[in-house]
Amino acid sequence: MADLSKVRNIGISAHIDSGKTTLSERILFYTGKIHAIHEVRGKDGVGAKMDSMDLEREKGITIQSAATYCTWGEYNINLIDTPGHVDFTVEVERALRVLDGAVLVLCSVAGVQSQSITVDRQMRRYSVPRVAFINKCDRSGANPDRVAAQLQEKLAHTPAFVTYPIGLEDKLEGVIDLVNMEAQYFDGEGGSDVRKAPIPADMMDKANELRHKLIETAADFDDTLMEKFLGDEPVGAEELSRAIRVGTLSMKMTPVFCGSAYKNKGVQTLLDGVGTFLPSPMDIKNEALDQDNNEQKMVLDSDPTKPLVMLAFKLEDGRYGQLTYMRIYQGTIKKGDSIINIANGKKVKVPRLVRMHSNDMHEIDEASAGDIVAMFGVDCASGDTFTDGNVRYTMTSMFVPEPVIELAVSPKDKAGQVNFSKALNRFTKEDPTFRVMRDEESGETIIKGMGELHLDIYIERIKREYNTEVIVGRPKVAFRETITQRSEFNYTHKKQTGGSGQFGRVGGFIEPLPPDAIENYEFVDDIVGGVIPREYIPACDKGFRESVTEGSLIGQPVVRVRVTINDGATHPVDSSEMAFKTASIMAFREAYMAAKPTILEPIMKLEVSVPEEFQGTVIGQINQRRGVIMGTDSDAGYVTVDSEVPLSEMFGYSTDLRSVTQGKGEFSMEFKKYQPVPRNIQDEMVKEHQKKRAEGK
């Protein structure tokens, strides 16, 4: 049984292109998990171990979070490499939900970027303590001091250098370890031999200044250290490390490491820091809700002897069926054990238990509290809690953002229908932000997601993994029609053929319903004196109801209409239900065009968050899209613009926003209301509809 205090469950997260996956590769190399280093966009065509999907290797980005485990000295490390792209935000959410600590990777040139702000917000949401690694110190323009200042300004951290680079850009030689006050150089193949030496004389002043600052920051968390600091007494490495750890676990201090993963410098020192400063499962307070006791909060102990509690946080369709990633919070699980899914009460047997090393599996017989494992044959959804049946606890699930974009999709040929459905079922199970619905009006399958790249990747995966070509349509906007004034009708339907004819007359008016009406159609029967016999009234209602399913302007449903009938006439022989239904349909058409009909379009509430320097450009962009600015709000160098914009103008917006904000802009969008389209656009739409109908005939 592993010593729990030596277990570290950590995630590596950052803005896109900060070097997360390269850092994961180096960690695996130095801990002996892989025996050769491959680059993310390597010339050898192998690609990084943690980017196991072909698509990831081609695009040079991480799409799915990959899990692995390794040992460093006396520490057992479970590691998850997460995507940096805003479209795959749920992968970061689910990883941080089950991790105890994290490494926030920052580029020494670009510093704190928009996605760094997002992942930092996610770390706070799940109270995940972190250390920062300022990567790419070998690049031209590298400036770790500026990045540390940004950590303080933009993310409100209290950063303190624990290591500092010796030389920058192409002169990067190694790092200074400020806790032990020594220089570290990384020699040998892949920088695997760490050579310790005295700090270069020309850097001694800088090192003393930084160590003084480090002690000052850490002294807030240790009274003895504070006394020594105030009395200017020497401080030992061990007591300094202890205070830094307390500060890190309380999330009130962020130890900052420097280096270059690509140039193999500073990674081993970071690994030492992961062991020394980040929490073990025993340092983290995990809570569950007791379903047998009115959802009372229970604190879980990282104790292998207590009843089993674990959370399924990620699903993948593996070679042997569904692979479920589990984080064990309490208790022990063995191969062959039975576990219960608290969500549906189903009992499942665990046929295989594995530890994941990216896409390779290593069989194990048992796992206990603090471990991250995967198992086959367990059918469940992301976020389900499992126990051994002795307790009925549920863990709180993760935050899932709402999708913001949708596309109509269909398989290219009928033969691909089965695989197409299989793919969509699998992806919705794996990814809570990917939704599928059927549009009843058009009969199309609509997929929804977090952004254009998000949906593009899934369409590409259907082609590759399911060998099915997909037709992608431009998403349709659900327009509506309504009337703007009262209009009367008096229509007589008369048809004389051989035998009995058809006769029915209906009189009355149509008028708009108030905007807050719950129903979209209302029928009022004001017939007196039996001018229309009672048995024909439902047929009139049926005729009007049928009429509102398709308006005369552009063939869309008519909403917010009240129809009142107050007059009519009947024939003793020729009147029938059919005659009155037809009379009602024709009467509605007659009155509709006189009631000044208009087209309604869906209006979205749009919230855009961008650095202040892009405020003018973004507002200009919203105005171009017929948007109305409702208000702006500034905070910490970022501005949030609230507006209302027609959905039909929002296609391609995420790409446009990223291009004008250097990828730093983020937006969220939700349905707000329906409102009339401008007259010139309405005229164009009506013309277009008439043209289509003429062509269709």
Side-chain angles (χ1 to χ4, degrees):
M1 196 65 75
D3 175 359
L4 260 186
S5 67
K6 302 292 184 209
V7 172
R8 298 288 179 269
N9 290 317
I10 64 160
I12 294 184
S13 46
H15 186 87
I16 195 162
D17 267 352
S18 302
K20 294 179 300 299
T21 303
T22 307
L23 178 61
S24 304
E25 285 295 293
R26 297 309 186 267
I27 289 175
L28 294 180
F29 178 69
Y30 298 134
T31 55
K33 290 300 288 190
I34 55 174
H35 303 294
I37 291 173
H38 298 291
E39 300 311 334
V40 175
R41 291 189 174 91
K43 300 276 187 291
D44 56 7
V46 177
K49 174 72 189 166
M50 297 299 271
D51 282 349
S52 57
M53 241 158 101
D54 290 345
L55 265 172
E56 294 181 308
R57 291 178 177 180
E58 280 170 33
K59 291 184 184 285
I61 60 168
T62 304
I63 292 167
Q64 291 183 325
S65 46
T68 186
Y69 66 100
C70 53
T71 49
W72 180 250
E74 54 186 353
Y75 295 103
N76 289 315
I77 299 173
N78 287 312
L79 176 82
I80 296 185
D81 173 26
T82 62
H85 201 288
V86 64
D87 285 6
F88 307 106
T89 186
V90 75
E91 288 287 336
V92 185
E93 287 281 349
R94 60 169 138 216
L96 291 174
R97 171 66 186 84
V98 298
L99 293 170
D100 304 326
V103 178
L104 177 63
V105 183
L106 300 159
C107 167
S108 69
V109 183
V112 172
Q113 295 163 277
S114 63
Q115 200 57 20
S116 329
I117 297 169
T118 307
V119 294
D120 184 68
R121 195 164 50 222
Q122 291 168 322
M123 287 175 192
R124 285 178 203 269
R125 183 181 289 139
Y126 300 111
S127 303
V128 177
R130 65 283 217 202
V131 298
F133 180 65
I134 299 179
N135 192 18
K136 304 192 177 183
C137 286
D138 59 308
R139 282 195 38 201
S140 105
N143 185 344
D145 294 300
R146 188 174 59 88
V147 181
Q150 285 183 344
L151 267 174
Q152 198 161 358
E153 289 158 23
K154 293 191 176 181
L155 301 181
H157 284 220
T158 308
F161 282 107
V162 178
T163 71
Y164 194 78
I166 300 171
L168 280 172
E169 301 182 350
D170 54 356
K171 296 185 178 62
L172 178 69
E173 291 174 32
V175 297
I176 297 170
D177 174 352
L178 296 162
V179 175
N180 297 300
M181 280 307 269
E182 61 186 20
Q184 295 186 351
Y185 298 97
F186 305 89
D187 305 332
E189 192 209 334
S192 41
D193 302 330
V194 182
R195 172 168 56 86
K196 298 182 176 179
I199 296 170
D202 62 337
M203 289 204 68
M204 206 61 209
D205 289 348
K206 179 77 175 172
N208 284 327
E209 177 202 323
L210 289 172
R211 191 170 201 263
H212 183 76
K213 178 91 180 17
L214 177 62
I215 296 167
E216 183 185 358
T217 310
D220 285 346
F221 310 102
D222 189 306
D223 294 345
T224 325
L225 193 62
M226 180 60 88
E227 282 169 26
K228 284 192 169 182
F229 173 71
L230 294 172
D232 227 1
E233 295 170 46
V235 173
E238 206 164 293
E239 53 187 333
L240 179 53
S241 289
R242 212 172 29 244
I244 296 171
R245 180 178 171 81
V246 174
T248 308
L249 297 193
S250 68
M251 292 183 70
K252 290 183 177 147
M253 173 181 178
T254 308
V256 178
F257 292 82
C258 298
S260 163
Y262 183 59
K263 287 283 165 48
N264 313 317
K265 294 196 180 1
V267 178
Q268 294 95 318
T269 325
L270 171 68
L271 276 169
D272 292 337
V274 164
T276 313
F277 305 130
L278 286 179
S280 75
M282 296 161 78
D283 297 316
I284 296 288
K285 182 181 170 188
N286 287 303
E287 289 183 330
L289 307 173
D290 188 347
Q291 296 303 313
D292 290 335
N293 197 354
N294 215 1
E295 296 216 336
Q296 196 178 342
K297 281 190 176 173
M298 308 296 295
V299 175
L300 299 174
D301 284 329
S302 291
D303 183 339
T305 60
K306 292 217 165 166
L308 176 76
V309 180
M310 56 186 187
L311 178 76
F313 68 95
K314 179 172 159 63
L315 312 177
E316 241 174 51
D317 206 39
R319 293 185 291 260
Y320 313 104
Q322 182 176 303
L323 181 67
T324 307
Y325 284 77
M326 298 272 194
R327 160 74 200 259
I328 305 170
Y329 285 96
Q330 183 177 285
T332 300
I333 186 167
K334 293 185 172 72
K335 202 156 85 171
D337 280 0
S338 287
I339 52 174
I340 287 171
N341 184 344
I342 299 299
N344 55 22
K346 280 188 184 158
K347 199 172 190 173
V348 227
K349 205 172 165 130
V350 181
R352 283 179 73 191
L353 207 52
V354 295
R355 272 190 199 282
M356 295 305 292
H357 174 37
S358 186
N359 58 343
D360 300 338
M361 291 161 216
H362 301 167
E363 297 270 347
I364 51 171
D365 292 325
E366 69 167 18
S368 56
D371 278 335
I372 291 177
V373 293
M375 46 190 81
F376 284 101
V378 177
D379 188 31
C380 66
S382 200
D384 286 356
T385 307
F386 286 83
T387 72
D388 54 9
N390 292 321
V391 287
R392 286 188 66 239
Y393 291 170
T394 56
M395 307 283 299
T396 52
S397 194
M398 62 209 167
F399 169 79
V400 177
E402 282 301 304
V404 294
I405 189 163
E406 49 186 67
L407 285 174
V409 290
S410 60
K412 203 164 191 176
D413 45 51
K414 284 278 184 284
Q417 187 65 51
V418 175
N419 277 352
F420 178 71
S421 303
K422 261 191 203 162
L424 294 184
N425 283 340
R426 171 188 156 194
F427 296 150
T428 43
K429 226 175 176 184
E430 283 182 12
D431 180 352
T433 56
F434 179 74
R435 317 263 171 95
V436 178
M437 60 166 279
R438 187 179 163 78
D439 182 346
E440 292 307 326
E441 285 173 26
S442 62
E444 290 174 317
T445 301
I446 306 284
I447 57 173
K448 302 181 176 189
M450 297 308 297
E452 285 162 288
L453 177 67
H454 189 206
L455 296 183
D456 286 350
I457 294 285
Y458 277 119
I459 288 161
E460 191 60 35
R461 285 182 66 188
I462 296 173
K463 287 179 189 168
R464 292 182 184 207
E465 295 171 33
Y466 288 88
N467 214 359
T468 304
E469 285 294 322
V470 179
I471 300 167
V472 181
R474 183 186 155 131
K476 277 208 179 80
V477 174
F479 289 102
R480 296 283 180 264
E481 296 184 27
T482 192
I483 54 173
T484 55
Q485 64 181 46
R486 176 179 154 141
S487 160
E488 312 221 338
F489 58 81
N490 184 0
Y491 188 85
T492 306
H493 173 61
K494 228 189 326 193
K495 204 171 183 191
Q496 205 61 50
T497 49
S500 63
Q502 285 187 20
F503 181 89
R505 180 171 78 81
V506 289
F509 57 89
I510 60 174
E511 61 186 340
L513 277 169
D516 55 354
I518 299 169
E519 293 296 324
N520 274 320
Y521 164 78
E522 199 181 294
F523 176 70
V524 180
D525 167 17
D526 264 355
I527 295 292
V528 282
V531 288
I532 297 178
R534 291 257 60 83
E535 68 263 29
Y536 296 144
I537 301 290
C540 296
D541 181 19
K542 221 182 212 168
F544 289 122
R545 227 175 247 280
E546 202 173 287
S547 302
V548 297
T549 58
E550 197 179 307
S552 311
L553 291 177
I554 56 166
Q556 292 295 338
V558 180
V559 295
R560 298 188 210 146
V561 179
R562 180 189 286 133
V563 180
T564 303
I565 54 169
N566 54 19
D567 192 15
T570 177
H571 185 279
V573 179
D574 291 350
S575 285
S576 65
E577 282 188 14
M578 189 65 208
F580 275 100
K581 184 183 167 188
T582 309
S584 302
I585 291 172
M586 301 314 287
F588 185 85
R589 282 188 194 160
E590 184 184 88
Y592 185 68
M593 289 320 280
K596 295 218 169 140
T598 183
I599 299 169
L600 299 174
E601 63 181 342
I603 301 295
M604 310 303 279
K605 179 175 179 285
L606 174 71
E607 190 178 278
V608 186
S609 173
V610 291
E612 278 171 353
E613 69 252 40
F614 301 115
Q615 181 175 347
T617 320
V618 165
I619 288 176
Q621 230 185 18
I622 292 169
N623 289 333
Q624 270 177 343
R625 291 171 182 266
R626 296 198 284 125
V628 178
I629 308 292
M630 308 308 280
T632 58
D633 185 27
S634 293
D635 181 39
Y638 260 67
V639 68
T640 302
V641 181
D642 286 310
S643 59
E644 290 180 3
V645 193
L647 176 62
S648 57
E649 301 286 344
M650 288 306 292
F651 300 124
Y653 181 66
S654 56
T655 314
D656 286 2
L657 178 69
R658 283 197 192 122
S659 64
V660 300
T661 61
Q662 297 163 17
K664 294 175 188 172
E666 290 179 7
F667 75 98
S668 65
M669 187 167 77
E670 59 185 341
F671 172 73
K672 178 84 192 288
K673 61 184 178 188
Y674 269 100
Q675 79 178 29
V677 303
R679 172 58 62 185
N680 59 332
I681 293 177
Q682 173 163 320
D683 293 344
E684 265 173 51
M685 289 171 77
V686 172
K687 222 181 272 172
E688 186 71 21
H689 179 67
Q690 285 166 348
K691 192 170 138 196
K692 269 189 192 155
R693 288 190 72 161
E695 283 167 4
K697 276 178 181 168

